[in-house]
Amino acid sequence: MMLRTVFRRASIRGSCASGLGKSLQSSRVAASAQFHSVSATETLVPRGNHARSFHHRSCQGCPDCSRTVFNGYQGTALQRWVRPFSSDSGDVVEAVVPHMGESITDGTLATFLKKPGDRVEADEAIAQIETDKVTIDIASPASGVIQEFLVKEGDTVEPGNKVARISTSADAVSHVAPSEKTPEKPAPKPSPPTEKPKVESTKVAEKPKAPSPQPPKQSAKEPQLPPKDRERRVPMTRLRKRVATRLKDSQNTFALLTTFNEVDMTNLMKLRSQYKDAFFEKHGVKLGLMSGFIKAAVSALQHQPVVNAVIDGDDIIYRDYVDISIAVGTSKGLVVPVIRDADKMNFADIEKTINGLAKKANEGTISIDEMAGGSFTVSNGGVYGSLISTPIINPPQSAILGMHSIVQRPMVVGGSVVPRPMMYVALTYDHRLIDGREAVYFLRRIKDVVEDPQRLLLDI
């Protein structure tokens, strides 16, 4: 078993200390060739400025191997601390909550991936913590067998909290196995029922037959609520609560206004169809439409820098960089990873970054740093079939671009009505900072670049 005791020893006079030193010195014996396990290591910690160590090694029931080493001490009042030690049942290590990011102080233990008695390897995930932004795994510090969990699912934990005890001894499996096999024993056969239970069961069956009072008649005007047994109440996840709080704060803080436009996708789709094979062969990633809109957004932000700014108190902060957030919907909720320095990237760099971030988001391995910051957001609801929407700003940004599904619609081109692949685009912006003129010009720049990608080459 592990020793975890701390007690204080009263002050000792100098003569007593001298006698103790002699007594301990006389108790030393020669080391035996036989292996002796360490039972405890004690450190005498005086309250003064000096400390000395006191080590005691012995085998239980073996007086010949008792060894005591006393280095001496100075001071009077001493405090003794007994450290955890290795016992016959094997060493025990503890899994703790890891550091979860600069802005995250706690999380909720969402689920255990293992059970007590399960064998785990070093760095294998044994539990998951759900934070306001991401899900973090708790890894086993060593290979061994889980003895017990120290917290329960749904508990709030902080970095450094102990979560589980893991035995690294080879004998740990044998200690756990009997408890696992106990439920497998066949249950004893029930004895034949006697006459008395039959009488009781008869009485129980007869009770429902008794007339029950009729429920009060409801007025015709009372609403007929659905029965409670047809409803389910489940707690919100931390991620969902965080998303709900931020979106509501956005509505309460910003003067939200949305402007719309429509984009003819013919030329951008033609460009992708023409070069997609060569693009994939050279860069190892598919050429999508998202990179075209990211490049268009970068160009629009450079033409209208106020859209890339944000209000901070009585000041306006203009950002001289372009970090574009992309909204990614996952099974656990919405996450918004950031493409850093998007203005310095080409089409291939953007596509590779988007694919990497989206993969991490869906796998739940995205980090806090990859979602921090961002000066502008692009949300593509078209992948789910959305025709038109009014996106909500992601604080502390000032605008968000909403993409939608591509639909063939009749358009007038050169005096003739022809079918064209059209997309509605929406820009929601903070009207406290951005005027309608800048918002319309921004969205017009998006439209011009997407409809004629050659503008990016000529910077016009």
Side-chain angles (χ1 to χ4, degrees):
M1 62 180 292
M2 301 181 63
L3 299 179
R4 298 176 175 274
T5 61
V6 177
F7 61 90
R8 301 181 181 274
R9 180 174 299 174
S11 61
I12 307 174
R13 297 179 180 178
S15 60
C16 295
S18 176
L20 176 61
K22 293 179 181 180
S23 175
L24 295 176
Q25 185 176 5
S26 62
S27 64
R28 300 178 183 175
V29 295
S32 172
Q34 182 181 0
F35 171 75
H36 302 280
S37 63
V38 179
S39 64
T41 301
E42 302 174 359
T43 302
L44 298 180
V45 184
R47 293 179 180 175
N49 298 325
H50 303 281
R52 292 292 184 268
S53 60
F54 174 83
H55 306 283
H56 178 70
R57 296 180 173 87
S58 65
C59 292
Q60 187 175 1
C62 179
D64 295 336
C65 70
S66 176
R67 296 183 295 167
T68 304
V69 181
F70 178 67
N71 294 335
Y73 65 92
Q74 295 182 8
T76 55
L78 303 177
Q79 180 181 3
R80 186 172 71 176
W81 170 58
V82 182
R83 297 187 306 179
F85 65 94
S86 302
S87 64
D88 293 341
S89 61
D91 296 339
V92 175
V93 296
E94 294 172 329
V96 299
V97 178
H99 178 66
M100 296 181 288
E102 295 296 336
S103 61
I104 299 179
T105 59
D106 58 27
T108 301
L109 202 147
T111 181
F112 289 112
L113 305 179
K114 300 291 182 179
K115 298 181 296 184
D118 287 353
R119 179 79 182 178
V120 294
E121 301 298 330
D123 297 329
E124 183 178 358
I126 62 175
Q128 288 184 334
I129 298 176
E130 191 175 74
T131 68
D132 297 340
K133 298 181 179 179
V134 294
T135 300
I136 300 173
D137 290 337
I138 301 178
S140 172
S143 300
V145 175
I146 298 177
Q147 286 189 339
E148 62 174 331
F149 288 116
L150 305 179
V151 295
K152 300 178 181 179
E153 291 185 356
D155 288 354
T156 299
V157 294
E158 299 177 355
N161 289 164
K162 299 175 182 178
V163 175
R165 290 194 178 99
I166 300 172
S167 174
T168 60
S169 171
D171 299 332
V173 178
S174 62
H175 291 296
V176 179
S179 63
E180 293 179 348
K181 294 181 181 179
T182 301
E184 298 178 1
K185 293 181 181 180
K189 296 181 179 180
S191 58
T194 60
E195 294 297 329
K196 188 175 180 179
K198 290 182 179 179
V199 175
E200 292 178 354
S201 62
T202 303
K203 293 180 180 180
V204 173
E206 293 175 354
K207 287 182 179 180
K209 296 181 180 179
S212 57
Q214 295 292 334
K217 295 183 179 180
Q218 295 182 346
S219 173
K221 297 182 179 180
E222 292 183 0
Q224 299 295 326
L225 299 178
K228 294 297 182 182
D229 57 357
R230 296 175 59 186
E231 298 177 350
R232 291 184 299 114
R233 181 184 293 270
V234 296
M236 292 177 65
T237 62
R238 290 180 68 97
L239 179 59
R240 175 51 55 190
K241 287 190 290 186
R242 180 62 174 170
V243 170
T245 301
R246 285 178 60 85
L247 293 181
K248 191 57 183 175
D249 289 344
S250 177
Q251 285 187 325
N252 296 338
T253 303
F254 299 137
L256 299 176
L257 186 61
T258 305
T259 184
F260 301 91
N261 211 321
E262 56 183 359
V263 179
D264 188 344
M265 300 293 294
T266 301
N267 291 332
L268 184 60
M269 295 176 65
K270 182 179 179 180
L271 178 68
R272 183 183 66 170
S273 177
Q274 183 177 356
Y275 294 105
K276 63 179 181 180
D277 295 335
F279 187 88
F280 180 80
E281 183 178 353
K282 180 177 180 178
H283 301 290
V285 63
K286 294 181 179 180
L287 177 60
L289 298 177
M290 194 68 175
S291 57
F293 275 89
I294 296 295
K295 295 292 290 185
V298 169
S299 178
L301 290 171
Q302 291 172 342
H303 280 71
Q304 301 295 332
V306 69
V307 181
N308 202 41
V310 65
I311 294 177
D312 184 18
D314 295 332
D315 302 325
I316 299 175
I317 299 177
Y318 286 91
R319 302 181 176 108
D320 296 329
Y321 59 89
V322 179
D323 289 350
I324 295 184
S325 306
I326 53 173
V328 179
T330 68
S331 58
K332 296 183 179 180
L334 180 69
V335 295
V336 190
V338 181
I339 303 175
R340 308 288 181 189
D341 296 323
D343 54 324
K344 301 177 182 179
M345 292 184 176
N346 56 27
F347 280 81
D349 295 334
I350 294 175
E351 290 291 351
K352 291 177 182 179
T353 304
I354 291 175
N355 289 346
L357 293 174
K359 182 178 180 181
K360 289 182 179 181
N362 289 315
E363 293 176 352
T365 59
I366 194 166
S367 65
I368 300 297
D369 295 337
E370 291 172 318
M371 295 189 296
S375 59
F376 182 77
T377 297
V378 176
S379 175
N380 186 8
V383 296
Y384 307 111
S386 174
L387 181 62
I388 194 169
S389 66
T390 56
I392 299 178
I393 297 175
N394 178 28
Q397 300 171 12
S398 298
I400 179 174
L401 176 67
M403 301 167 54
H404 301 92
S405 58
I406 302 173
V407 179
Q408 291 284 340
R409 293 204 303 271
M411 302 296 296
V412 178
V413 179
S416 302
V417 177
V418 294
R420 291 284 190 173
M422 303 299 295
M423 174 191 290
Y424 288 118
V425 290
L427 178 72
T428 298
Y429 57 97
D430 184 3
H431 207 3
R432 300 178 305 164
L433 174 64
I434 305 170
D435 293 331
R437 174 177 175 271
E438 284 77 14
V440 172
Y441 282 168
F442 180 91
L443 210 53
R444 280 299 305 266
R445 181 62 184 177
I446 296 285
K447 174 181 173 67
D448 293 341
V449 172
V450 172
E451 291 186 344
D452 187 7
Q454 296 179 3
R455 288 176 175 268
L456 295 173
L457 300 176
L458 301 177
D459 192 21
I460 57 174

